[in-house]
mmCIF file of all heavy atoms in Angstrom:
data_model
loop_
_atom_site.group_PDB
_atom_site.id
_atom_site.type_symbol
_atom_site.label_atom_id
_atom_site.label_comp_id
_atom_site.label_asym_id
_atom_site.label_seq_id
_atom_site.Cartn_x
_atom_site.Cartn_y
_atom_site.Cartn_z
ATOM 1 N N ASP A 68 131.931 152.802 88.519
ATOM 2 C CA ASP A 68 132.251 153.881 87.626
ATOM 3 C C ASP A 68 131.414 153.690 86.339
ATOM 4 O O ASP A 68 130.901 154.679 85.814
ATOM 5 C CB ASP A 68 133.741 153.851 87.197
ATOM 6 C CG ASP A 68 134.651 154.417 88.282
ATOM 7 O OD1 ASP A 68 134.137 155.120 89.203
ATOM 8 O OD2 ASP A 68 135.858 154.150 88.238
ATOM 9 N N HIS A 69 131.268 152.455 85.856
ATOM 10 C CA HIS A 69 130.472 152.212 84.627
ATOM 11 C C HIS A 69 129.094 152.666 84.909
ATOM 12 O O HIS A 69 128.390 153.339 84.105
ATOM 13 C CB HIS A 69 130.554 150.741 84.334
ATOM 14 C CG HIS A 69 129.717 150.406 83.101
ATOM 15 N ND1 HIS A 69 130.132 150.627 81.773
ATOM 16 C CD2 HIS A 69 128.496 149.959 82.936
ATOM 17 C CE1 HIS A 69 129.209 150.281 80.947
ATOM 18 N NE2 HIS A 69 128.167 149.849 81.633
ATOM 19 N N THR A 70 128.475 152.286 86.008
ATOM 20 C CA THR A 70 127.082 152.595 86.288
ATOM 21 C C THR A 70 126.911 154.104 86.523
ATOM 22 O O THR A 70 125.996 154.654 86.040
ATOM 23 C CB THR A 70 126.552 151.807 87.554
ATOM 24 O OG1 THR A 70 126.788 150.427 87.381
ATOM 25 C CG2 THR A 70 125.033 152.057 87.786
ATOM 26 N N ARG A 71 127.864 154.709 87.129
ATOM 27 C CA ARG A 71 127.813 156.215 87.324
ATOM 28 C C ARG A 71 127.824 156.893 85.920
ATOM 29 O O ARG A 71 127.146 157.891 85.673
ATOM 30 C CB ARG A 71 128.886 156.706 88.208
ATOM 31 C CG ARG A 71 128.775 158.247 88.494
ATOM 32 C CD ARG A 71 129.970 158.766 89.340
ATOM 33 N NE ARG A 71 131.206 158.492 88.633
ATOM 34 C CZ ARG A 71 132.311 158.129 89.184
ATOM 35 N NH1 ARG A 71 132.313 157.944 90.542
ATOM 36 N NH2 ARG A 71 133.365 157.916 88.481
ATOM 37 N N GLN A 72 128.700 156.349 85.030
ATOM 38 C CA GLN A 72 128.759 156.899 83.683
ATOM 39 C C GLN A 72 127.407 156.781 82.953
ATOM 40 O O GLN A 72 126.871 157.673 82.264
ATOM 41 C CB GLN A 72 129.880 156.260 82.899
ATOM 42 C CG GLN A 72 131.239 156.727 83.267
ATOM 43 C CD GLN A 72 132.334 155.960 82.555
ATOM 44 O OE1 GLN A 72 132.035 155.305 81.540
ATOM 45 N NE2 GLN A 72 133.550 155.934 83.087
ATOM 46 N N GLU A 73 126.806 155.611 83.137
ATOM 47 C CA GLU A 73 125.511 155.357 82.520
ATOM 48 C C GLU A 73 124.492 156.277 83.092
ATOM 49 O O GLU A 73 123.571 156.832 82.381
ATOM 50 C CB GLU A 73 125.059 153.886 82.707
ATOM 51 C CG GLU A 73 125.915 152.884 81.945
ATOM 52 C CD GLU A 73 125.675 152.893 80.432
ATOM 53 O OE1 GLU A 73 124.711 153.609 80.017
ATOM 54 O OE2 GLU A 73 126.332 152.180 79.765
ATOM 55 N N LEU A 74 124.496 156.491 84.412
ATOM 56 C CA LEU A 74 123.578 157.394 85.103
ATOM 57 C C LEU A 74 123.725 158.809 84.566
ATOM 58 O O LEU A 74 122.737 159.437 84.261
ATOM 59 C CB LEU A 74 123.864 157.263 86.615
ATOM 60 C CG LEU A 74 122.974 158.085 87.533
ATOM 61 C CD1 LEU A 74 121.567 157.568 87.457
ATOM 62 C CD2 LEU A 74 123.464 157.885 88.964
ATOM 63 N N CYS A 75 124.948 159.264 84.468
ATOM 64 C CA CYS A 75 125.215 160.611 84.011
ATOM 65 C C CYS A 75 124.848 160.802 82.533
ATOM 66 O O CYS A 75 124.232 161.835 82.179
ATOM 67 C CB CYS A 75 126.710 160.981 84.191
ATOM 68 S SG CYS A 75 127.069 161.229 86.040
ATOM 69 N N ALA A 76 125.031 159.728 81.725
ATOM 70 C CA ALA A 76 124.652 159.845 80.292
ATOM 71 C C ALA A 76 123.148 159.932 80.172
ATOM 72 O O ALA A 76 122.582 160.695 79.426
ATOM 73 C CB ALA A 76 125.190 158.646 79.522
ATOM 74 N N ALA A 77 122.424 159.086 80.973
ATOM 75 C CA ALA A 77 120.935 159.131 80.929
ATOM 76 C C ALA A 77 120.462 160.536 81.377
ATOM 77 O O ALA A 77 119.482 161.074 80.822
ATOM 78 C CB ALA A 77 120.390 158.041 81.835
ATOM 79 N N PHE A 78 121.084 161.041 82.419
ATOM 80 C CA PHE A 78 120.675 162.368 82.891
ATOM 81 C C PHE A 78 120.962 163.399 81.814
ATOM 82 O O PHE A 78 120.159 164.322 81.508
ATOM 83 C CB PHE A 78 121.391 162.742 84.175
ATOM 84 C CG PHE A 78 121.093 164.169 84.650
ATOM 85 C CD1 PHE A 78 119.858 164.479 85.241
ATOM 86 C CD2 PHE A 78 121.993 165.205 84.392
ATOM 87 C CE1 PHE A 78 119.495 165.736 85.605
ATOM 88 C CE2 PHE A 78 121.682 166.501 84.730
ATOM 89 C CZ PHE A 78 120.356 166.740 85.459
ATOM 90 N N ALA A 79 122.075 163.379 81.144
ATOM 91 C CA ALA A 79 122.461 164.268 80.103
ATOM 92 C C ALA A 79 121.451 164.177 78.976
ATOM 93 O O ALA A 79 121.109 165.315 78.424
ATOM 94 C CB ALA A 79 123.885 163.977 79.619
ATOM 95 N N ARG A 80 120.975 163.078 78.646
ATOM 96 C CA ARG A 80 119.997 162.962 77.568
ATOM 97 C C ARG A 80 118.650 163.499 78.067
ATOM 98 O O ARG A 80 117.866 163.999 77.151
ATOM 99 C CB ARG A 80 119.781 161.456 77.211
ATOM 100 C CG ARG A 80 120.928 160.879 76.439
ATOM 101 C CD ARG A 80 120.570 159.429 75.892
ATOM 102 N NE ARG A 80 120.288 158.508 76.917
ATOM 103 C CZ ARG A 80 121.076 157.739 77.573
ATOM 104 N NH1 ARG A 80 122.386 157.783 77.303
ATOM 105 N NH2 ARG A 80 120.688 156.855 78.492
ATOM 106 N N THR A 81 118.328 163.489 79.265
ATOM 107 C CA THR A 81 116.964 163.908 79.729
ATOM 108 C C THR A 81 117.093 165.118 80.688
ATOM 109 O O THR A 81 116.074 165.492 81.330
ATOM 110 C CB THR A 81 116.279 162.815 80.473
ATOM 111 O OG1 THR A 81 117.003 162.419 81.666
ATOM 112 C CG2 THR A 81 116.093 161.585 79.595
ATOM 113 N N GLY A 82 118.183 165.756 80.785
ATOM 114 C CA GLY A 82 118.467 166.806 81.751
ATOM 115 C C GLY A 82 117.455 167.969 81.689
ATOM 116 O O GLY A 82 117.136 168.571 82.726
#
Side-chain angles (χ1 to χ4, degrees):
D68 285 343
H69 179 82
T70 307
R71 185 183 59 220
Q72 287 175 17
E73 291 288 352
L74 183 62
C75 290
F78 176 77
R80 287 189 300 271
T81 63

